[in-house]
Amino acid sequence: MNNCFHSSGKILELLKIPFTKNYLKEEILSHPQFPSLLTLSDVMEKYRISTLPLKVGKEKLDQIPMPCIVQVKVQGKEYFQTLSHIAGDSFSGYDETGKAFKVSREEFLNSWTGVVLAVEKSEHAAEPGIEERLQKEKIQTFLMAGLVLFALIAVGFGWPELMGTGYGIATAGLLLLKLIGLGVSGLILWREIDKDNPLVQKFCSGGAKTDCNTVLDSAAFKFADAAISPGSLAFAYFFAGSLLLLTQISSLSVLPTFAWLSLAILPVVVISLYYQAFSIKKWCRLCLVLIGILVPEMALAWAQQVYQYPIDLPTFAAFAFLFIASLLGWIYLKPILDAKDKLYTYQRNLKKLKSDPVIFDSLLTRSKKINNPTRDLGILLKNESPRYQVIKVCNPYCGPCSEAHPELERLVEEGIIDLQIIFFPNNSADDLHAKTISHLLAINSKGDPKVTQEALDIWYAAEKKDYTVFADRYPMNGEVNQQQEKLLAMKTWCDKEGITHTPTIFINGNQLPEEYSIADIKEINTY
């Protein structure tokens, strides 16, 4: 059931909730119970989507609101699929690989296990922090477009001069082959990082004699203790060639150099075919595509009679520099990319440890304990049967306090905690800081918890903290000036407890251990 990413992604698409793939992938792969229905449920909750796991009979499936996630069993393996529509005897949705399907009722019910995850989109459903991630993606897209644009400009300015030499067609063909080779070799490198990627598997599998993994992972195709592979060598070759052609498109010295280089790797082509045919007895489709690019390179150079010219040493030196640099770059980059997958495993294990109530309680009892009563201090947001009593000591103009507020508010809404907010006033009762605290306390004194929560949300969600705008939205009739005693009581309490920074969080009378974040509170006792 490791297809949680496809299922959750399709649900978000069907519910028309914008999301970023990197955030979704990270949340799924770092979940303590990955892969499971609980993983999907918890991740959906982060998007403010309500979920309800069910085990229902076949006759009740039509009553489940669409879309939903279902569990199926195919060839003895369990997968998650996304069901989008039921029309009579026709079932539509997306399978475990994210591919659209439309099957008959009988065919679907034969594979369905009866497990359903019903989902409901809330009014405020969204990915947390998506604006920053979308901005980053826009910048990346802009830079990529700039890269393509300047490559086209380089080719465009050099093209007229090149056509006058009589080698324009040969250079254009060689550049096209280099770029295709760059894409294919990039796919081979991608396979080294993610062997289970559906795109790679779809291309490499099929037939008893076809198996990219067997060929590329064999000892014959590994060098320098597996630091150098066919994929990294091919990528370095095509990367250096493509870059030189783009930057020296009008130079006649480039073609002879590449012609002799392509001839020099002819033995590599022969050895690769020999090993695949007689030693490994398996074929790698990606390797064959690369061979299918290298051979036309040699044929093109031969047809244009480029071999009559010698290698240009400066061009060869530039090629060698780019080749070695890209090879070294991959040698250093690959362990970092490999470690990313291991990082998800470490994150899952860490979350399991942090969710253990015994470990949490042990660390909590060792942390700083509150010595003075907090009764009637600040603002109290209560629930009927909370799991924890949480105190947040905060400053209305504190950036980290603003970031912590939505997390705590969500825990209050879910009934997990009671939240007491104690403000850390300045010494002066007349400054803007004290006025803001007094105004929030005045709103709370009206006795309407919903209005108090709304006011807190509006204040902490505002990018620019403007007290005048806030005061106009929540007008008071002298109540703001009646909060001096409460301000003094909070200031006295903070001084006695030695509060030095905000936010400071206390759980059941003890300070939240530094190993834990506010988001961790919900997961304690969960897994």
Side-chain angles (χ1 to χ4, degrees), residues 66-127:
M66 296 290 125
C68 65
I69 294 176
V70 294
Q71 186 189 65
V72 298
K73 196 168 187 177
V74 180
Q75 297 179 348
K77 293 184 177 181
E78 294 178 340
Y79 299 100
F80 292 120
Q81 294 184 348
T82 307
L83 198 57
S84 60
H85 188 64
I86 300 177
D89 289 332
S90 177
F91 283 65
S92 302
Y94 299 89
D95 65 13
E96 59 274 8
T97 64
K99 184 178 179 181
F101 70 79
K102 188 174 183 180
V103 297
S104 66
R105 176 180 292 269
E106 181 182 1
E107 185 178 351
F108 176 81
L109 294 180
N110 284 339
S111 61
W112 180 47
T113 64
V115 174
V116 177
L117 184 66
V119 299
E120 183 179 7
K121 175 183 177 181
S122 70
E123 182 182 354
H124 302 291
E127 178 178 293

Short mmCIF file of all heavy atoms in Angstrom, two decimals, residues 66-127:
data_model
loop_
_atom_site.label_atom_id
_atom_site.label_comp_id
_atom_site.label_asym_id
_atom_site.label_seq_id
_atom_site.Cartn_x
_atom_site.Cartn_y
_atom_site.Cartn_z
N MET A 66 -18.79 10.95 -3.01
CA MET A 66 -17.63 10.94 -3.90
C MET A 66 -16.96 12.32 -3.89
O MET A 66 -17.65 13.33 -3.72
CB MET A 66 -18.07 10.59 -5.33
CG MET A 66 -18.65 9.21 -5.47
SD MET A 66 -17.41 7.91 -5.29
CE MET A 66 -18.14 6.93 -3.99
N PRO A 67 -15.63 12.39 -4.06
CA PRO A 67 -14.71 11.27 -4.23
C PRO A 67 -14.36 10.65 -2.88
O PRO A 67 -14.60 11.24 -1.82
CB PRO A 67 -13.49 11.92 -4.86
CG PRO A 67 -13.49 13.30 -4.29
CD PRO A 67 -14.94 13.69 -4.16
N CYS A 68 -13.77 9.47 -2.93
CA CYS A 68 -13.30 8.80 -1.73
C CYS A 68 -12.12 7.90 -2.08
O CYS A 68 -11.82 7.69 -3.26
CB CYS A 68 -14.42 7.98 -1.10
SG CYS A 68 -14.98 6.59 -2.12
N ILE A 69 -11.44 7.43 -1.06
CA ILE A 69 -10.32 6.51 -1.25
C ILE A 69 -10.77 5.12 -0.86
O ILE A 69 -11.41 4.93 0.18
CB ILE A 69 -9.10 6.95 -0.41
CG1 ILE A 69 -8.56 8.27 -0.92
CG2 ILE A 69 -7.99 5.88 -0.45
CD1 ILE A 69 -7.42 8.84 -0.10
N VAL A 70 -10.47 4.15 -1.69
CA VAL A 70 -10.88 2.77 -1.42
C VAL A 70 -9.64 1.88 -1.42
O VAL A 70 -8.62 2.20 -2.02
CB VAL A 70 -11.88 2.26 -2.48
CG1 VAL A 70 -13.19 3.03 -2.39
CG2 VAL A 70 -11.31 2.36 -3.89
N GLN A 71 -9.77 0.76 -0.73
CA GLN A 71 -8.69 -0.23 -0.70
C GLN A 71 -9.08 -1.41 -1.57
O GLN A 71 -10.20 -1.93 -1.46
CB GLN A 71 -8.43 -0.70 0.73
CG GLN A 71 -7.22 -1.62 0.86
CD GLN A 71 -7.12 -2.24 2.24
OE1 GLN A 71 -7.97 -3.03 2.64
NE2 GLN A 71 -6.09 -1.86 2.98
N VAL A 72 -8.18 -1.81 -2.45
CA VAL A 72 -8.44 -2.96 -3.33
C VAL A 72 -7.32 -3.99 -3.15
O VAL A 72 -6.23 -3.67 -2.66
CB VAL A 72 -8.53 -2.52 -4.81
CG1 VAL A 72 -9.69 -1.56 -5.03
CG2 VAL A 72 -7.22 -1.91 -5.28
N LYS A 73 -7.62 -5.19 -3.57
CA LYS A 73 -6.63 -6.27 -3.51
C LYS A 73 -6.45 -6.84 -4.91
O LYS A 73 -7.39 -7.38 -5.49
CB LYS A 73 -7.08 -7.36 -2.54
CG LYS A 73 -5.97 -8.31 -2.12
CD LYS A 73 -6.41 -9.17 -0.95
CE LYS A 73 -5.26 -10.01 -0.41
NZ LYS A 73 -5.67 -10.81 0.77
N VAL A 74 -5.25 -6.68 -5.46
CA VAL A 74 -4.95 -7.12 -6.82
C VAL A 74 -3.77 -8.07 -6.77
O VAL A 74 -2.69 -7.71 -6.29
CB VAL A 74 -4.64 -5.91 -7.73
CG1 VAL A 74 -4.34 -6.39 -9.15
CG2 VAL A 74 -5.78 -4.92 -7.73
N GLN A 75 -4.00 -9.29 -7.23
CA GLN A 75 -2.95 -10.32 -7.25
C GLN A 75 -2.28 -10.49 -5.89
O GLN A 75 -1.07 -10.59 -5.78
CB GLN A 75 -1.91 -9.99 -8.33
CG GLN A 75 -2.47 -9.99 -9.74
CD GLN A 75 -1.43 -9.65 -10.79
OE1 GLN A 75 -0.33 -9.21 -10.46
NE2 GLN A 75 -1.75 -9.88 -12.06
N GLY A 76 -3.10 -10.48 -4.87
CA GLY A 76 -2.62 -10.73 -3.51
C GLY A 76 -2.02 -9.53 -2.82
O GLY A 76 -1.63 -9.62 -1.64
N LYS A 77 -1.95 -8.38 -3.49
CA LYS A 77 -1.38 -7.18 -2.89
C LYS A 77 -2.47 -6.13 -2.70
O LYS A 77 -3.34 -5.98 -3.55
CB LYS A 77 -0.25 -6.61 -3.75
CG LYS A 77 0.97 -7.50 -3.83
CD LYS A 77 2.08 -6.84 -4.63
CE LYS A 77 3.34 -7.70 -4.66
NZ LYS A 77 4.44 -7.05 -5.42
N GLU A 78 -2.39 -5.40 -1.59
CA GLU A 78 -3.38 -4.37 -1.29
C GLU A 78 -2.88 -3.00 -1.74
O GLU A 78 -1.72 -2.65 -1.53
CB GLU A 78 -3.68 -4.35 0.21
CG GLU A 78 -4.38 -5.62 0.68
CD GLU A 78 -4.63 -5.62 2.18
OE1 GLU A 78 -3.94 -4.85 2.88
OE2 GLU A 78 -5.50 -6.38 2.64
N TYR A 79 -3.79 -2.25 -2.37
CA TYR A 79 -3.48 -0.92 -2.86
C TYR A 79 -4.60 0.04 -2.49
O TYR A 79 -5.72 -0.38 -2.19
CB TYR A 79 -3.32 -0.92 -4.39
CG TYR A 79 -2.22 -1.79 -4.92
CD1 TYR A 79 -2.51 -3.06 -5.44
CD2 TYR A 79 -0.90 -1.36 -4.94
CE1 TYR A 79 -1.51 -3.87 -5.95
CE2 TYR A 79 0.11 -2.17 -5.44
CZ TYR A 79 -0.20 -3.42 -5.95
OH TYR A 79 0.79 -4.22 -6.44
N PHE A 80 -4.28 1.33 -2.54
CA PHE A 80 -5.30 2.36 -2.43
C PHE A 80 -5.62 2.91 -3.81
O PHE A 80 -4.71 3.12 -4.62
CB PHE A 80 -4.82 3.51 -1.52
CG PHE A 80 -4.68 3.11 -0.09
CD1 PHE A 80 -3.46 3.20 0.56
CD2 PHE A 80 -5.78 2.64 0.63
CE1 PHE A 80 -3.32 2.84 1.87
CE2 PHE A 80 -5.64 2.27 1.96
CZ PHE A 80 -4.41 2.36 2.58
N GLN A 81 -6.89 3.12 -4.06
CA GLN A 81 -7.33 3.74 -5.30
C GLN A 81 -8.26 4.89 -4.96
O GLN A 81 -8.84 4.94 -3.87
CB GLN A 81 -8.04 2.73 -6.21
CG GLN A 81 -7.14 1.64 -6.73
CD GLN A 81 -7.84 0.71 -7.71
OE1 GLN A 81 -9.07 0.73 -7.85
NE2 GLN A 81 -7.07 -0.13 -8.39
N THR A 82 -8.41 5.81 -5.89
CA THR A 82 -9.29 6.95 -5.70
C THR A 82 -10.54 6.75 -6.55
O THR A 82 -10.43 6.63 -7.78
CB THR A 82 -8.60 8.27 -6.10
OG1 THR A 82 -7.36 8.36 -5.41
CG2 THR A 82 -9.47 9.46 -5.74
N LEU A 83 -11.69 6.69 -5.91
CA LEU A 83 -12.96 6.51 -6.61
C LEU A 83 -13.60 7.89 -6.78
O LEU A 83 -13.81 8.62 -5.80
CB LEU A 83 -13.87 5.60 -5.80
CG LEU A 83 -15.05 4.94 -6.53
CD1 LEU A 83 -14.57 4.13 -7.72
CD2 LEU A 83 -15.84 4.06 -5.57
N SER A 84 -13.88 8.27 -8.02
CA SER A 84 -14.38 9.62 -8.29
C SER A 84 -15.86 9.67 -8.64
O SER A 84 -16.53 10.67 -8.39
CB SER A 84 -13.58 10.26 -9.42
OG SER A 84 -13.68 9.49 -10.62
N HIS A 85 -16.39 8.57 -9.22
CA HIS A 85 -17.77 8.64 -9.71
C HIS A 85 -18.36 7.23 -9.85
O HIS A 85 -17.68 6.30 -10.29
CB HIS A 85 -17.79 9.35 -11.07
CG HIS A 85 -19.16 9.66 -11.57
ND1 HIS A 85 -20.01 10.53 -10.94
CD2 HIS A 85 -19.83 9.21 -12.67
CE1 HIS A 85 -21.15 10.60 -11.60
NE2 HIS A 85 -21.06 9.81 -12.66
N ILE A 86 -19.61 7.11 -9.46
CA ILE A 86 -20.37 5.87 -9.66
C ILE A 86 -21.62 6.22 -10.44
O ILE A 86 -22.43 7.06 -10.01
CB ILE A 86 -20.76 5.20 -8.33
CG1 ILE A 86 -19.51 4.85 -7.51
CG2 ILE A 86 -21.58 3.94 -8.58
CD1 ILE A 86 -19.83 4.25 -6.15
N ALA A 87 -21.76 5.60 -11.59
CA ALA A 87 -22.95 5.83 -12.43
C ALA A 87 -23.52 4.49 -12.84
O ALA A 87 -23.03 3.85 -13.77
CB ALA A 87 -22.58 6.66 -13.66
N GLY A 88 -24.55 4.05 -12.10
CA GLY A 88 -25.15 2.76 -12.40
C GLY A 88 -24.18 1.62 -12.16
O GLY A 88 -23.72 1.40 -11.04
N ASP A 89 -23.83 0.91 -13.23
CA ASP A 89 -22.88 -0.21 -13.13
C ASP A 89 -21.48 0.19 -13.55
O ASP A 89 -20.63 -0.68 -13.79
CB ASP A 89 -23.37 -1.37 -13.99
CG ASP A 89 -24.59 -2.05 -13.38
OD1 ASP A 89 -24.74 -1.99 -12.15
OD2 ASP A 89 -25.41 -2.60 -14.15
N SER A 90 -21.22 1.48 -13.65
CA SER A 90 -19.91 1.96 -14.08
C SER A 90 -19.20 2.68 -12.94
O SER A 90 -19.78 3.56 -12.29
CB SER A 90 -20.06 2.91 -15.28
OG SER A 90 -18.82 3.42 -15.67
N PHE A 91 -17.96 2.29 -12.68
CA PHE A 91 -17.14 2.90 -11.64
C PHE A 91 -15.94 3.60 -12.29
O PHE A 91 -15.23 3.00 -13.09
CB PHE A 91 -16.62 1.84 -10.66
CG PHE A 91 -17.65 1.37 -9.67
CD1 PHE A 91 -18.78 0.69 -10.09
CD2 PHE A 91 -17.49 1.62 -8.32
CE1 PHE A 91 -19.74 0.26 -9.19
CE2 PHE A 91 -18.44 1.20 -7.40
CZ PHE A 91 -19.57 0.52 -7.83
N SER A 92 -15.74 4.89 -11.92
CA SER A 92 -14.64 5.66 -12.48
C SER A 92 -13.73 6.15 -11.35
O SER A 92 -14.19 6.41 -10.23
CB SER A 92 -15.16 6.87 -13.27
OG SER A 92 -16.02 6.46 -14.30
N GLY A 93 -12.46 6.27 -11.67
CA GLY A 93 -11.51 6.76 -10.67
C GLY A 93 -10.09 6.66 -11.16
O GLY A 93 -9.84 6.69 -12.37
N TYR A 94 -9.17 6.52 -10.21
CA TYR A 94 -7.75 6.45 -10.53
C TYR A 94 -7.13 5.28 -9.76
O TYR A 94 -7.39 5.11 -8.57
CB TYR A 94 -7.05 7.76 -10.15
CG TYR A 94 -7.60 8.95 -10.90
CD1 TYR A 94 -8.68 9.67 -10.39
CD2 TYR A 94 -7.06 9.33 -12.12
CE1 TYR A 94 -9.21 10.76 -11.08
CE2 TYR A 94 -7.58 10.42 -12.82
CZ TYR A 94 -8.66 11.12 -12.29
OH TYR A 94 -9.18 12.19 -12.98
N ASP A 95 -6.34 4.48 -10.47
CA ASP A 95 -5.78 3.27 -9.86
C ASP A 95 -4.57 3.60 -8.99
O ASP A 95 -4.26 4.77 -8.74
CB ASP A 95 -5.44 2.23 -10.92
CG ASP A 95 -4.33 2.67 -11.86
OD1 ASP A 95 -3.64 3.67 -11.56
OD2 ASP A 95 -4.15 2.03 -12.91
N GLU A 96 -3.87 2.55 -8.56
CA GLU A 96 -2.77 2.72 -7.61
C GLU A 96 -1.58 3.48 -8.19
O GLU A 96 -0.72 3.96 -7.45
CB GLU A 96 -2.30 1.36 -7.10
CG GLU A 96 -1.82 0.39 -8.17
CD GLU A 96 -2.95 -0.41 -8.79
OE1 GLU A 96 -4.14 -0.11 -8.50
OE2 GLU A 96 -2.65 -1.34 -9.56
N THR A 97 -1.50 3.61 -9.52
CA THR A 97 -0.42 4.37 -10.15
C THR A 97 -0.85 5.77 -10.55
O THR A 97 -0.06 6.52 -11.12
CB THR A 97 0.10 3.63 -11.40
OG1 THR A 97 -0.94 3.56 -12.38
CG2 THR A 97 0.56 2.22 -11.04
N GLY A 98 -2.12 6.12 -10.26
CA GLY A 98 -2.62 7.44 -10.63
C GLY A 98 -3.24 7.48 -12.01
O GLY A 98 -3.63 8.55 -12.48
N LYS A 99 -3.36 6.33 -12.67
CA LYS A 99 -3.93 6.27 -14.02
C LYS A 99 -5.44 6.13 -13.94
O LYS A 99 -5.98 5.36 -13.14
CB LYS A 99 -3.32 5.08 -14.77
CG LYS A 99 -3.77 4.97 -16.21
CD LYS A 99 -3.09 3.78 -16.89
CE LYS A 99 -3.55 3.64 -18.34
NZ LYS A 99 -2.92 2.47 -19.00
N ALA A 100 -6.15 6.89 -14.80
CA ALA A 100 -7.61 6.87 -14.80
C ALA A 100 -8.14 5.51 -15.24
O ALA A 100 -7.57 4.85 -16.11
CB ALA A 100 -8.15 7.96 -15.72
N PHE A 101 -9.24 5.07 -14.60
CA PHE A 101 -9.87 3.81 -15.00
C PHE A 101 -11.38 3.98 -15.02
O PHE A 101 -11.95 4.87 -14.38
CB PHE A 101 -9.48 2.67 -14.05
CG PHE A 101 -10.08 2.78 -12.67
CD1 PHE A 101 -11.40 2.40 -12.41
CD2 PHE A 101 -9.32 3.24 -11.60
CE1 PHE A 101 -11.95 2.50 -11.14
CE2 PHE A 101 -9.85 3.35 -10.32
CZ PHE A 101 -11.18 2.97 -10.09
N LYS A 102 -12.03 3.10 -15.77
CA LYS A 102 -13.48 3.01 -15.80
C LYS A 102 -13.84 1.55 -15.98
O LYS A 102 -13.54 0.96 -17.03
CB LYS A 102 -14.05 3.85 -16.95
CG LYS A 102 -15.57 3.97 -16.92
CD LYS A 102 -16.08 4.93 -17.99
CE LYS A 102 -17.59 5.10 -17.91
NZ LYS A 102 -18.09 6.05 -18.94
N VAL A 103 -14.40 0.96 -14.95
CA VAL A 103 -14.67 -0.49 -14.96
C VAL A 103 -16.11 -0.74 -14.56
O VAL A 103 -16.82 0.16 -14.07
CB VAL A 103 -13.72 -1.22 -13.98
CG1 VAL A 103 -12.28 -1.08 -14.41
CG2 VAL A 103 -13.91 -0.72 -12.55
N SER A 104 -16.54 -1.97 -14.76
CA SER A 104 -17.90 -2.36 -14.40
C SER A 104 -18.02 -2.55 -12.90
O SER A 104 -17.01 -2.71 -12.19
CB SER A 104 -18.28 -3.65 -15.12
OG SER A 104 -17.48 -4.71 -14.63
N ARG A 105 -19.24 -2.53 -12.39
CA ARG A 105 -19.47 -2.72 -10.96
C ARG A 105 -18.92 -4.07 -10.50
O ARG A 105 -18.26 -4.16 -9.45
CB ARG A 105 -20.97 -2.63 -10.66
CG ARG A 105 -21.34 -2.91 -9.19
CD ARG A 105 -22.84 -2.79 -8.99
NE ARG A 105 -23.27 -1.41 -9.15
CZ ARG A 105 -23.36 -0.54 -8.17
NH1 ARG A 105 -23.04 -0.89 -6.93
NH2 ARG A 105 -23.79 0.69 -8.39
N GLU A 106 -19.17 -5.10 -11.28
CA GLU A 106 -18.72 -6.44 -10.90
C GLU A 106 -17.20 -6.52 -10.80
O GLU A 106 -16.65 -7.08 -9.86
CB GLU A 106 -19.23 -7.46 -11.91
CG GLU A 106 -18.83 -8.90 -11.58
CD GLU A 106 -19.31 -9.89 -12.63
OE1 GLU A 106 -19.93 -9.46 -13.62
OE2 GLU A 106 -19.05 -11.11 -12.46
N GLU A 107 -16.52 -5.91 -11.80
CA GLU A 107 -15.05 -5.95 -11.81
C GLU A 107 -14.48 -5.20 -10.61
O GLU A 107 -13.52 -5.65 -9.99
CB GLU A 107 -14.54 -5.34 -13.11
CG GLU A 107 -13.03 -5.44 -13.27
CD GLU A 107 -12.55 -4.87 -14.59
OE1 GLU A 107 -13.40 -4.55 -15.45
OE2 GLU A 107 -11.32 -4.73 -14.75
N PHE A 108 -15.08 -4.07 -10.27
CA PHE A 108 -14.58 -3.29 -9.14
C PHE A 108 -14.82 -4.01 -7.82
O PHE A 108 -13.92 -4.12 -6.98
CB PHE A 108 -15.23 -1.90 -9.11
CG PHE A 108 -14.81 -1.09 -7.92
CD1 PHE A 108 -13.62 -0.40 -7.91
CD2 PHE A 108 -15.61 -1.03 -6.77
CE1 PHE A 108 -13.22 0.34 -6.80
CE2 PHE A 108 -15.23 -0.30 -5.66
CZ PHE A 108 -14.03 0.39 -5.68
N LEU A 109 -16.04 -4.53 -7.64
CA LEU A 109 -16.38 -5.17 -6.37
C LEU A 109 -15.58 -6.43 -6.13
O LEU A 109 -15.35 -6.82 -4.98
CB LEU A 109 -17.88 -5.47 -6.33
CG LEU A 109 -18.81 -4.24 -6.31
CD1 LEU A 109 -20.26 -4.68 -6.27
CD2 LEU A 109 -18.49 -3.33 -5.13
N ASN A 110 -15.12 -7.06 -7.20
CA ASN A 110 -14.31 -8.27 -7.04
C ASN A 110 -12.95 -8.00 -6.42
O ASN A 110 -12.36 -8.86 -5.76
CB ASN A 110 -14.12 -8.95 -8.40
CG ASN A 110 -15.37 -9.70 -8.85
OD1 ASN A 110 -16.22 -10.05 -8.03
ND2 ASN A 110 -15.49 -9.94 -10.16
N SER A 111 -12.45 -6.78 -6.61
CA SER A 111 -11.14 -6.42 -6.06
C SER A 111 -11.23 -5.57 -4.79
O SER A 111 -10.26 -5.46 -4.05
CB SER A 111 -10.31 -5.66 -7.10
OG SER A 111 -10.95 -4.46 -7.46
N TRP A 112 -12.39 -4.99 -4.53
CA TRP A 112 -12.55 -4.09 -3.38
C TRP A 112 -12.60 -4.87 -2.07
O TRP A 112 -13.28 -5.91 -1.97
CB TRP A 112 -13.84 -3.28 -3.56
CG TRP A 112 -14.14 -2.31 -2.46
CD1 TRP A 112 -13.28 -1.43 -1.89
CD2 TRP A 112 -15.39 -2.13 -1.81
NE1 TRP A 112 -13.92 -0.70 -0.93
CE2 TRP A 112 -15.22 -1.10 -0.84
CE3 TRP A 112 -16.65 -2.72 -1.94
CZ2 TRP A 112 -16.25 -0.68 -0.02
CZ3 TRP A 112 -17.67 -2.29 -1.13
CH2 TRP A 112 -17.48 -1.28 -0.18
N THR A 113 -11.90 -4.37 -1.05
CA THR A 113 -11.83 -5.07 0.24
C THR A 113 -12.95 -4.64 1.20
O THR A 113 -13.08 -5.21 2.29
CB THR A 113 -10.48 -4.80 0.93
OG1 THR A 113 -10.38 -3.40 1.23
CG2 THR A 113 -9.32 -5.23 0.05
N GLY A 114 -13.72 -3.63 0.82
CA GLY A 114 -14.77 -3.11 1.70
C GLY A 114 -14.32 -1.92 2.53
O GLY A 114 -15.11 -1.30 3.24
N VAL A 115 -13.03 -1.56 2.46
CA VAL A 115 -12.48 -0.43 3.22
C VAL A 115 -12.61 0.85 2.41
O VAL A 115 -12.24 0.89 1.23
CB VAL A 115 -11.02 -0.69 3.60
CG1 VAL A 115 -10.41 0.54 4.27
CG2 VAL A 115 -10.91 -1.90 4.52
N VAL A 116 -13.12 1.89 3.06
CA VAL A 116 -13.32 3.19 2.41
C VAL A 116 -12.82 4.30 3.35
O VAL A 116 -13.01 4.21 4.56
CB VAL A 116 -14.82 3.45 2.09
CG1 VAL A 116 -15.00 4.84 1.48
CG2 VAL A 116 -15.35 2.40 1.15
N LEU A 117 -12.21 5.31 2.77
CA LEU A 117 -11.89 6.52 3.52
C LEU A 117 -12.73 7.65 2.92
O LEU A 117 -12.41 8.18 1.85
CB LEU A 117 -10.40 6.86 3.44
CG LEU A 117 -9.97 8.08 4.28
CD1 LEU A 117 -10.12 7.78 5.77
CD2 LEU A 117 -8.53 8.49 3.97
N ALA A 118 -13.83 7.99 3.60
CA ALA A 118 -14.68 9.09 3.15
C ALA A 118 -14.02 10.42 3.51
O ALA A 118 -13.40 10.55 4.56
CB ALA A 118 -16.05 8.99 3.79
N VAL A 119 -14.15 11.40 2.63
CA VAL A 119 -13.52 12.70 2.84
C VAL A 119 -14.55 13.81 2.66
O VAL A 119 -15.50 13.68 1.90
CB VAL A 119 -12.33 12.93 1.87
CG1 VAL A 119 -11.25 11.89 2.09
CG2 VAL A 119 -12.81 12.90 0.43
N GLU A 120 -14.34 14.91 3.38
CA GLU A 120 -15.20 16.08 3.26
C GLU A 120 -14.34 17.33 3.36
O GLU A 120 -13.62 17.53 4.34
CB GLU A 120 -16.27 16.10 4.33
CG GLU A 120 -17.25 17.27 4.19
CD GLU A 120 -18.32 17.27 5.25
OE1 GLU A 120 -18.24 16.44 6.19
OE2 GLU A 120 -19.26 18.08 5.14
N LYS A 121 -14.44 18.17 2.35
CA LYS A 121 -13.67 19.39 2.28
C LYS A 121 -14.28 20.47 3.17
O LYS A 121 -15.47 20.73 3.11
CB LYS A 121 -13.63 19.87 0.82
CG LYS A 121 -12.96 21.20 0.57
CD LYS A 121 -13.08 21.55 -0.91
CE LYS A 121 -12.49 22.92 -1.21
NZ LYS A 121 -12.64 23.25 -2.66
N SER A 122 -13.45 21.08 4.02
CA SER A 122 -13.94 22.15 4.89
C SER A 122 -13.85 23.49 4.16
O SER A 122 -13.25 23.60 3.08
CB SER A 122 -13.14 22.21 6.18
OG SER A 122 -11.82 22.68 5.92
N GLU A 123 -14.44 24.50 4.75
CA GLU A 123 -14.47 25.82 4.13
C GLU A 123 -13.06 26.40 3.97
O GLU A 123 -12.77 27.11 3.01
CB GLU A 123 -15.33 26.76 4.98
CG GLU A 123 -15.46 28.16 4.41
CD GLU A 123 -16.27 29.07 5.31
OE1 GLU A 123 -16.82 28.58 6.32
OE2 GLU A 123 -16.36 30.28 5.01
N HIS A 124 -12.19 26.09 4.91
CA HIS A 124 -10.83 26.66 4.91
C HIS A 124 -9.79 25.63 4.48
O HIS A 124 -8.61 25.75 4.84
CB HIS A 124 -10.49 27.18 6.29
CG HIS A 124 -11.45 28.22 6.80
ND1 HIS A 124 -11.54 29.47 6.24
CD2 HIS A 124 -12.38 28.17 7.79
CE1 HIS A 124 -12.48 30.17 6.88
NE2 HIS A 124 -12.99 29.40 7.83
N ALA A 125 -10.19 24.63 3.71
CA ALA A 125 -9.26 23.59 3.27
C ALA A 125 -8.14 24.20 2.42
O ALA A 125 -8.39 24.93 1.47
CB ALA A 125 -10.00 22.52 2.48
N ALA A 126 -6.92 23.90 2.78
CA ALA A 126 -5.75 24.42 2.05
C ALA A 126 -4.50 23.73 2.58
O ALA A 126 -4.50 23.15 3.66
CB ALA A 126 -5.63 25.93 2.23
N GLU A 127 -3.45 23.78 1.78
CA GLU A 127 -2.16 23.25 2.22
C GLU A 127 -1.47 24.29 3.09
O GLU A 127 -1.34 25.45 2.68
CB GLU A 127 -1.29 22.90 1.01
CG GLU A 127 0.09 22.39 1.38
CD GLU A 127 0.91 22.01 0.17
OE1 GLU A 127 0.53 21.03 -0.50
OE2 GLU A 127 1.91 22.70 -0.11
#
